Amino acid sequence: LHHHVAAPRKKVIQTVVHDFEPFMETYTEKLGYRLQADLSFAEVDPEAYQGLYIPGGRAPEWIRTEPKALEIVRHFFQANKPVGTLCHGPLVLTAAGVVKRRRLVAYGVLKPDVEIAGGTFVDDAPVVDGNLVTGRAWPDNPAVLKAFIRLLKEGVA
């Protein structure tokens, strides 16, 4: 299974690590690994891919402003190909207009965003709705990735 990392521009991306501390009401953020993007969004041919995974964190806040990223997302929904995301990733889905009448979850503070966009917020993980697999935050990664990989292998019901 081949995969590529796409970003607004083909460049080195600074990742971050979110963690939960007992005395904090939300996550903390620390610098993570640097990662070279394989492609810019403009270079992505969504026809060439079986699935799309949108990571969480702060990147979706910026990715949702990229018209080509939204086109890519819409392709996967129109073609009914697997899409996985968690945490703040659903911000990209709401901006692309693909959550109406869908069941999904995101980081808890995104509940109003999901509902305003016409989706139903379900506080569980993974939430699988057709071709879409979602989770709340990084602790849901194992369950979300397992369900996403299952959709890639077995196809969308």
Side-chain angles (χ1 to χ4, degrees):
L1 197 58
H2 297 286
H3 66 278
H4 293 114
V5 173
R9 279 151 300 290
K10 188 175 176 177
K11 65 176 191 167
V12 174
I13 301 167
Q14 175 64 61
T15 67
V16 296
V17 177
H18 288 172
D19 201 1
F20 296 102
E21 302 289 347
F23 57 90
M24 301 287 291
E25 291 183 32
T26 189
Y27 58 82
T28 61
E29 185 173 279
K30 299 161 185 75
L31 290 179
Y33 294 105
R34 297 177 99 191
L35 174 71
Q36 175 65 53
D38 300 304
L39 303 165
S40 70
F41 292 145
E43 295 173 301
V44 173
D45 172 11
E47 290 283 344
Y49 295 92
Q50 293 176 277
L52 172 68
Y53 195 85
I54 303 168
R58 289 187 299 133
E61 182 180 346
W62 300 100
I63 291 170
R64 69 181 172 165
T65 67
E66 296 282 337
K68 179 60 176 173
L70 302 183
E71 287 176 30
I72 293 165
V73 169
R74 289 183 193 115
H75 164 83
F76 281 88
F77 279 84
Q78 289 162 358
N80 202 37
K81 295 180 186 178
V83 176
T85 189
L86 76 161
C87 191
H88 286 75
L91 285 173
V92 181
L93 306 182
T94 59
V98 296
V99 301
K100 193 168 191 160
R101 293 185 293 279
R102 301 301 296 261
R103 295 174 65 253
L104 66 150
V105 70
Y107 192 59
V109 298
L110 269 61
K111 183 177 186 216
D113 301 84
V114 168
E115 292 173 345
I116 288 166
T120 300
F121 190 92
V122 181
D123 189 7
D124 197 9
V127 175
V128 180
D129 183 0
N131 69 316
L132 178 62
V133 180
T134 55
R136 296 166 289 208
W138 68 263
D140 292 338
N141 259 329
V144 171
L145 290 170
K146 182 177 179 182
F148 179 66
I149 291 168
R150 185 171 41 250
L151 284 182
L152 288 172
K153 285 182 176 179
E154 299 172 9
V156 177

